Amino acid sequence: MNSKKLTFLVIILLIADQVLKIWVKTHMTLGEAIVLIPDWFKLYFIENNGAAFGMRITTTGTWDWGKLVLSLFRIGMIGLLIWLINRSIRKKAPKGVLIGFAAILAGAIGNMIDSAFYGLIFSASTPQTVAHFGGSYASFMMGKVVDMFYFPLFQWENVPRFLSFLVDNKGYFFGAVFNLADAYISIAVIYLLIFKYKYFDKEGFI
């Protein structure tokens, strides 16, 4: 698989991620939910300042240093992934490995776009108002990531403390709200670890 095909794949994945995020941002109020499959699947619009699945780095003070660190980390990961993809193409890595890397790259760039630019081009989303183009609610790199997929599977009572991250504030298992970019990264990483670990072992990655 050559670099042109991988670039095209990354662009297609990015377009899908951004089109959905922009639609949610400009058509839903913050906290609004659209039930797609009763008692299981909702489009639930939230925004987060940090990492995948609504997680964030806790910070104090007027400047969100945690968010800045995370943004710099994302930029570093994007650069590393581009280098890794080029290296893997030269070494004629299996097609599945290249597609996995491309999906992770698309996810990283997708969430980076939110953080870098959404604060500059959109007005703020609130529970009362839908955002619109042409506003500005945050400076460069300080925007919020749009999340919308919510799959509350069941309520889990008496959750062990070390597993509490698996439930939301209503007690639902897998209560994380995520976006397409998060899904790209998670699915690709799981796929690579389960099905392509022999390649990484052979290449000295593990």
Side-chain angles (χ1 to χ4, degrees):
M1 197 168 191
N2 59 38
S3 59
K4 288 184 180 179
K5 290 181 178 179
L6 286 175
T7 300
F8 181 73
L9 174 61
V10 170
I11 291 171
I12 292 298
L13 293 175
L14 268 176
I15 290 172
D17 173 66
Q18 290 299 309
V19 166
L20 180 57
K21 286 175 176 175
I22 291 170
W23 185 89
V24 168
K25 180 80 175 165
T26 58
H27 288 78
M28 299 176 68
T29 57
L30 193 64
E32 181 180 353
I34 299 174
V35 177
L36 300 180
I37 301 177
D39 300 322
W40 186 58
F41 177 30
K42 300 177 182 178
L43 279 184
Y44 176 39
F45 175 31
I46 68 167
E47 293 179 309
N48 77 79
N49 287 322
F53 298 100
M55 295 181 291
R56 64 163 295 163
I57 301 171
T58 302
T59 60
T60 58
T62 57
W63 184 260
D64 197 338
W65 291 104
K67 184 168 182 56
L68 179 61
V69 169
L70 183 61
S71 295
L72 293 174
F73 173 77
R74 282 197 182 115
I75 292 171
M77 285 301 299
I78 289 168
L80 176 62
L81 282 164
I82 292 172
W83 173 83
L84 191 57
I85 289 171
N86 287 328
R87 176 184 184 273
S88 299
I89 291 172
R90 291 195 305 271
K91 287 181 168 287
K92 301 186 184 303
K95 184 177 180 180
V97 170
L98 295 173
I99 291 174
F101 285 156
I104 295 170
L105 177 61
I109 295 174
N111 283 336
M112 188 71 235
I113 290 172
D114 295 30
S115 295
F117 301 111
Y118 275 27
L120 299 174
I121 64 176
F122 289 114
S123 62
S125 295
T126 74
Q128 293 78 35
T129 59
V130 173
H132 58 82
F133 284 106
S136 178
Y137 72 85
S139 57
F140 179 62
M141 300 288 278
M142 292 292 122
K144 296 179 181 179
V145 176
V146 174
D147 292 327
M148 76 294 292
F149 292 131
Y150 184 39
F151 293 86
L153 298 180
F154 56 85
Q155 283 190 306
W156 187 3
E157 297 181 358
N158 302 317
V159 183
R161 180 171 297 180
F162 70 96
L163 295 177
S164 61
F165 68 95
L166 293 174
V167 300
D168 64 10
N169 56 10
K170 297 179 181 178
Y172 279 99
F173 174 73
F174 195 60
V177 184
F178 59 99
N179 58 43
L180 273 179
D182 298 333
Y184 297 158
I185 294 169
S186 301
I187 293 171
V189 168
I190 293 169
Y191 166 77
L192 291 172
L193 290 176
I194 293 176
F195 297 105
K196 298 299 178 182
Y197 70 93
K198 289 183 179 179
Y199 168 79
F200 294 105
D201 188 24
K202 182 181 72 174
E203 291 296 315
F205 288 100
I206 57 177

